[in-house]
Amino acid sequence: MKVSQNWLKKIVEINTTPDDLSEKLSIGGFEVESLIDCSANVKGIILGRVLSVVKHENSDKLSICSVDIGGSNPLQIVCGAKNVKQNIHVYVATVGTHLSAINLTIKKSEIRGVFSEGMICSLEELGIEVSSEGIAIIDEDIALKHKLGTKGADLLNLNDYIYDLAITANRPDGMSVVGIAREISALLETKLNFPDLKTKYKINVYKNFDLCSEAITTNCLYSISNIDSVNGKELSPGWLKDRLDKSGIKSINLIVDITNYILLEQGQPLHAFDKDKLSNLIGRKVSFEDFSVRKANNNESLLCLNGENYKLNENITIIACDEKPVAIAGVIGGLETAVNEDTSSIYLEGAVFNPVTIRRSSKEIGIRTESSSRYEKGISSKNTLDSVTRAINILEENFNISNPIINTSIELVSTKNLIPLRRERIHKILGPIVIRNKNCDTNGKLEKRCLSDTEITDKLKLIGCTLNIKEYGWDVEIIPNRSQDLLREIDLIEEIARLIGYDMFDLNLPNPIKPGKLSSFQIALRKLKTGLIVNGFNEVLTYSLVPETNNNLIKISNPLLLETSCLRDNIWQEHIKICNQNIKSGHDYCWIFEVGNIFHKEPDFSQEEILNGAIYGNNKFEKWLGSNKDNNLNYFEARGKLKEALSILNLKIEDKPTDSIDFLHPGRSSRLFTEGNEIGYFGEIHPKLISNKKALKKIYLFSIKISNILKASTRKNKWITVYKQFPTVPKMERDINFIFNKKYLVSEIISQIKKSGKKLLEDVNLIDVYDDSSFDKELISYTFRLSYRDSEKTLLDSDIAILHDSIVEVIENKFSTKLRN
């Protein structure tokens, strides 16, 4: 937002320098990105009068001019312009002046044997115009009002500064000169002088407008006013052109310039339609009742003011006249109904639209305008009709118009937006201010006290608030143009602190300051990440915002892009993309993991933190050892890598085969359990993903619920290390071999052996798996090694014989098998 200091001075008293004001605005929340001195290009330029012009003897194109600049002696200047002549007033660059537009410093020089003591300038050389034909000749009426030698900045109205402000999304009031002036008034504690509404006009509430409920919500309105007897050929006065130009807006004609002027001054976008063009468009005399706001149809198009013909769709909100599109609501008007030199009557539109619909329309057509940027940040409908009235006031000053009627969709009811503000809450949040005693030197005592009621109320009044005294403090009424950001008590407390000055408040740190420490969950999560990294995994980070691919995703209410319009419900899809990218880049392996949130729509909106990862290829340093072998890991090798990484948490994780995960191989996937609770899954991707080119190679995916695994790993019996004495007696080992049906899990068999082994059975391990063609297809051989030990004595065969036989008997009965010799 660019704004002229001269314009601001018409509204607010400024009693400080531009540099100091820039600093105060930046500290106050309106960052000044740049401060432009309008007179910088014309420093050293003064008013001169050409007394005589003589042709240069040694040049056909040069002239020797005698120029009076108000001094005792005229300057001799050699000039090459064709239009230089006697008795004209010109802009003179004196010796030492730097013309930044052409990067030239004026020096006293000799040109073809004749001394020249300056330069007569064109507007191009002054950086005011892009190109100029000859030197600038100043109008006599303007020149005679000033003395010779007057600074060029005075004649060109360039004694001004332009503040280029970065307006944040929470301060839409900063998108208007009035809003910035109010902020300056609050920072400098100076008077405001807002422009008055000279005439007010009749308001007609017409509730039968056909308005899209999504675009015109309860806090919005739509108004349209018929104004006759205007003239599209009328150009804007100099003051209006100057203010628009310094704000970066090109002057077109008086009608259009007034709508742009109100946009800048009040922050309210307006649009003028040519009445006769509207009538021609619909084939009859147009009425205000013909206007409507609706969603565009997919087969419609609109030629807009920028010359682009946009194809419309149902995501774009339009203004229609008798159902024919005439503008994209809040973004840009149509060229077919635009004001031009032939315009004699207009319909003036003033509206407030739902910011979401404007943002969506703007993104669909790919442009962002001054109007759309204001609507997107949000403006108050309470200022709209006054802004329309202000525009008509200015039109009335320049045209002989009759009293128009402002037709509006709703009647504005004067409702007070009151926010309770508690005195105790202010003191608790902000603490005391620190004041140095004026009678003491820099080493004197500091006075600490809480803000007084007067200081609080004075600061809030500076931003336009009205305060009603209550026992607990105040009920604060907010002005309309701050109703978007001052919503809660804490917002008002922040404003008080901002206007008092944050540096005025005492440090408010906890006493004593207690050092922080990591919780058991945080330590366990760090150990988990460390375990994965130590075993060769790389941590990645992916976006939690994804495109809408199904109805199960949670949609964002105001997405910036369609590609980031929803919250993700999984991470594995992004990990497959990362693996694919590495495969395309020629990498032999890609082992990755990520700790992040996924979001569920059903049954209620919720988020869940998970550990997700992918394994592709073999992460081996000694590649020459297996250069001719398949680089892919098999299921058990990949699962083993995850087991190694998770072993750092000292958890026993059980795998149970599953075929219910649709993106995993039905025969090579399992659900993971610990302490009887499901914590995630592991498996090879489904072959259909490879055949559909969603994945380029065989990839293993795993997912673990962070809350479940951390809760299990931080139980006292797992988290606190218990040290045991080394055994002093040997163990006794026995191997048993059975042929089992493949439907039985090894984990089930081991669990049953341990249950039957009582105290003497120390450990059970699977040491061999044998599958032979002589077996039935559904059978497989497992060999287990059982370790027995008594902590107090060395065991004999007779000590374990009965126990070992009972274990064999239990296994035979439980799993319908027989011990093999």
Side-chain angles (χ1 to χ4, degrees), residues 222 271 273 277-278 281-282 291-292 294 301-305 312 318-329 332-338 349:
Y222 185 80
H271 185 70
F273 298 98
K277 289 182 178 180
L278 288 170
L281 179 67
I282 67 175
F291 287 87
S292 62
R294 65 172 174 85
S301 64
L302 181 65
L303 179 63
C304 290
L305 291 170
L312 308 179
I318 62 167
I319 307 298
C321 183
D322 194 29
E323 290 303 311
K324 292 180 173 57
V326 292
I328 297 175
I332 191 170
L335 185 62
E336 196 175 352
T337 56
E349 175 196 76

Side-chain angles (χ1 to χ4, degrees), residues 85-98:
K85 56 185 177 181
Q86 189 177 2
N87 292 328
I88 60 171
H89 289 83
V90 292
Y91 295 109
V92 180
T94 54
V95 174
T97 299
H98 180 74

Side-chain angles (χ1 to χ4, degrees), residues 733-750:
E733 295 181 338
R734 295 286 185 271
D735 292 347
I736 55 176
N737 177 262
F738 295 92
I739 296 177
F740 291 94
N741 192 304
K742 290 181 179 179
K743 70 180 181 179
Y744 296 119
L745 301 178
V746 171
S747 59
E748 293 179 35
I749 300 168
I750 291 177

Side-chain angles (χ1 to χ4, degrees), residues 528-742:
L528 179 58
K529 289 184 177 181
T530 301
L532 287 159
I533 292 169
V534 166
N535 282 278
F537 288 83
N538 292 302
E539 186 173 7
V540 298
L541 180 66
T542 58
Y543 289 115
S544 58
L545 297 176
V546 295
E548 184 179 1
T549 55
N550 59 67
N551 294 327
N552 295 325
L553 299 178
I554 300 174
K555 295 181 181 179
I556 302 296
S557 59
N558 55 343
L560 293 175
L561 299 168
L562 290 175
E563 291 77 13
T564 56
S565 60
C566 297
L567 293 169
R568 66 185 177 190
D569 63 352
N570 70 76
I571 303 180
W572 63 267
Q573 289 180 333
E574 292 299 317
H575 286 186
I576 287 180
K577 291 178 183 177
I578 294 173
C579 289
N580 287 343
Q581 192 172 358
N582 280 269
I583 292 167
K584 290 178 180 178
S585 300
H587 293 288
D588 296 328
Y589 70 93
C590 180
W591 294 8
I592 57 174
F593 77 93
E594 176 180 359
V595 176
N597 289 318
I598 58 174
F599 304 87
H600 304 293
K601 190 174 183 179
E602 301 294 344
D604 295 316
F605 287 0
S606 62
Q607 71 179 40
E608 180 182 23
E609 189 177 24
I610 62 169
L611 165 69
N612 222 94
I615 300 173
Y616 153 71
N618 198 347
N619 184 0
K620 280 187 177 180
F621 182 74
E622 304 87 351
K623 294 183 181 179
W624 61 274
L625 289 174
S627 57
N628 296 324
K629 296 181 180 179
D630 183 10
N631 190 45
N632 290 325
L633 298 176
N634 62 37
Y635 176 89
F636 298 103
E637 288 174 324
R639 178 65 183 90
K641 294 299 179 183
L642 180 61
K643 181 180 179 180
E644 287 180 44
L646 298 180
S647 64
I648 198 169
L649 294 181
N650 192 28
L651 284 177
K652 182 182 178 183
I653 297 176
E654 183 181 348
D655 293 48
K656 292 185 179 180
T658 182
D659 57 2
S660 61
I661 304 175
D662 58 0
F663 55 88
L664 295 182
H665 194 300
R668 298 174 189 169
S669 57
S670 62
R671 295 192 182 273
L672 308 179
F673 291 80
T674 187
E675 298 180 346
N677 298 316
E678 184 179 344
I679 62 168
Y681 62 78
F682 177 88
E684 181 185 322
I685 61 169
H686 201 289
K688 68 182 180 182
L689 293 177
I690 298 177
S691 61
N692 294 337
K693 304 298 183 183
K694 296 285 182 65
L696 301 179
K697 297 277 187 178
K698 182 168 67 176
I699 300 170
Y700 297 96
L701 300 176
F702 61 87
S703 179
I704 296 172
K705 298 175 182 178
I706 290 293
S707 61
N708 291 12
I709 196 170
L710 295 189
K711 188 182 293 183
S713 66
T714 53
R715 296 191 198 284
K716 284 187 178 180
N717 62 331
K718 301 286 185 184
W719 189 246
I720 300 173
T721 303
V722 178
Y723 296 95
K724 294 181 180 179
Q725 194 173 23
F726 279 107
T728 57
V729 295
K731 64 182 177 180
M732 185 176 288
E733 295 181 338
R734 295 286 185 271
D735 292 347
I736 55 176
N737 177 262
F738 295 92
I739 296 177
F740 291 94
N741 192 304
K742 290 181 179 179

Side-chain angles (χ1 to χ4, degrees), residues 54-66:
V54 179
K55 285 289 181 184
H56 197 295
E57 293 181 356
N58 298 325
S59 174
D60 296 334
K61 295 182 179 180
L62 298 178
S63 301
I64 303 170
C65 305
S66 178

Side-chain angles (χ1 to χ4, degrees), residues 300-304 306 308-312 328 365 367:
E300 290 181 311
S301 64
L302 181 65
L303 179 63
C304 290
N306 58 359
E308 293 288 334
N309 193 359
Y310 294 105
K311 292 183 179 180
L312 308 179
I328 297 175
I365 64 173
I367 64 169

